[in-house]
Amino acid sequence: MKEEQKDFLIGRHPAMAALKKKDSNINKVFVQEGLKADAIQEIYTLAKARKLVVSRVPKTKLDNLVNGQNHQGVVIAIASYSYATIDDLFEKARSKNEDPFFLILDGIEDPHNLGSIMRTADAAGVHGIIIPKRRAVQLTSVVAKTSTGAIEHVPVVRVTNLVQTVKELKEQGVWIFGTDMEGTDFRKWSAKGATALVIGNEGKGISPLLKKTCDEMLTIPMIGHVQSLNASVAASLLIYQGFTSRGN
């Protein structure tokens, strides 16, 4: 059963991605008065084709709706962000005749990191993302805006217990790879076959219990003065190594 969360979608690119996706649950489209950019006209055209109400409103109205975030003159009221199920992720892989390639995010707290990770996941053909229900960012308007539309294409599953979920994935033949300061050089990693990559919290990394369930740990060698990477940057490097090793 899918879960839902009400919110706003902010910005031109996320708005167009949502309008182009036939099954996105859009209630209303708000556009700032006086804007005449080509992107705005395309939004009008897409909304009209879907018989959606488009309201021209002052900039202050949009500012109030999204608490002052940079909306680029466009805000969409959506009924929900739908969360997928684990079965949905496997089905997406089957529909493409591909081995599953999942991301498991252990306590990512920054919505910008989650949005950026979703962009990379979409670009590299990841079949879905698994996040915990607690102590982690959920799907929000900030995540949607940062993802620049990827939120419409990458299914996200919320689970109560990541450790239990990983055990269930392993029972279905999925190999679990974690990230740590010590481990196999990620450049030697092959993500062929059913694979899930675990990305840890921005500061704490992967929780000890979850780490114990991983089949292998991967590390990103660094020779500079800064010995840590932003979570979304680290995730991008690893995702693209997985993408490349799978023969793409």
Side-chain angles (χ1 to χ4, degrees):
M1 182 178 178
K2 295 188 176 184
E3 302 174 61
E4 298 179 341
Q5 178 175 325
K6 295 182 179 179
D7 215 320
F8 290 107
L9 201 55
I10 304 166
R12 298 177 187 179
H13 291 299
M16 283 193 284
L19 287 165
K20 288 176 181 177
K21 189 177 180 185
K22 293 179 180 179
D23 59 351
S24 53
N25 299 319
I26 298 173
N27 283 340
K28 197 169 183 180
V29 181
F30 297 93
V31 174
Q32 184 178 322
E33 291 175 338
L35 293 183
K36 297 181 180 180
D38 290 341
I40 298 297
Q41 294 307 313
E42 185 175 357
I43 286 168
Y44 271 114
T45 301
L46 291 168
K48 184 178 180 181
R50 293 186 55 173
K51 297 181 171 58
L52 294 169
V53 175
V54 179
S55 296
R56 298 174 186 250
V57 297
K59 181 178 182 296
T60 52
K61 167 74 171 178
L62 298 184
D63 291 341
N64 289 333
L65 282 176
V66 301
N67 295 319
Q69 296 180 70
N70 180 19
H71 47 69
Q72 300 176 308
V74 182
V75 174
I76 289 182
I78 55 177
S80 66
Y81 289 118
S82 293
Y83 288 92
T85 66
I86 296 292
D87 287 342
D88 292 333
L89 271 55
F90 279 103
E91 179 54 37
K92 183 171 183 179
R94 279 193 295 270
S95 70
K96 294 187 173 184
N97 197 29
E98 297 171 348
D99 291 323
F101 185 22
F102 305 150
L103 287 183
I104 300 170
L105 305 182
D106 182 18
I108 296 296
E109 298 175 342
D110 186 336
H112 297 93
N113 277 339
L114 178 54
S116 295
I117 289 169
M118 293 186 80
R119 290 178 68 179
T120 305
D122 178 51
V126 170
H127 300 114
I129 295 173
I130 300 168
I131 63 174
K133 288 184 178 179
R134 297 181 180 179
R135 291 184 285 276
V137 66
Q138 307 298 297
L139 296 184
T140 67
S141 56
V142 178
V143 173
K145 188 173 188 298
T146 308
S147 80
T148 60
I151 197 170
E152 299 290 340
H153 305 287
V154 181
V156 176
V157 179
R158 289 199 309 179
V159 299
T160 303
N161 190 313
L162 284 180
V163 172
Q164 183 58 39
T165 298
V166 165
K167 290 178 179 177
E168 292 169 2
L169 290 175
K170 292 174 80 169
E171 288 174 0
Q172 297 190 63
V174 179
W175 283 82
I176 311 296
F177 295 87
T179 49
D180 199 10
M181 294 295 289
E182 296 182 3
T184 303
D185 187 323
F186 85 104
R187 293 170 293 183
K188 299 177 181 178
W189 173 46
S190 173
K192 288 184 177 179
T195 300
L197 173 66
V198 185
I199 304 294
N201 172 275
E202 290 92 344
K204 301 173 184 176
I206 299 174
S207 63
L209 282 176
L210 187 57
K211 191 179 292 186
K212 288 180 180 178
T213 67
C214 294
D215 295 301
E216 186 175 352
M217 303 304 294
L218 307 172
T219 189
I220 300 173
M222 286 176 272
I223 60 173
H225 298 290
V226 178
Q227 290 298 303
S228 64
L229 293 172
N230 172 277
S232 64
V233 173
S236 295
L237 289 170
L238 290 153
I239 290 167
Y240 263 93
Q241 171 60 24
F243 173 75
T244 301
S245 70
R246 288 164 68 89
N248 295 302

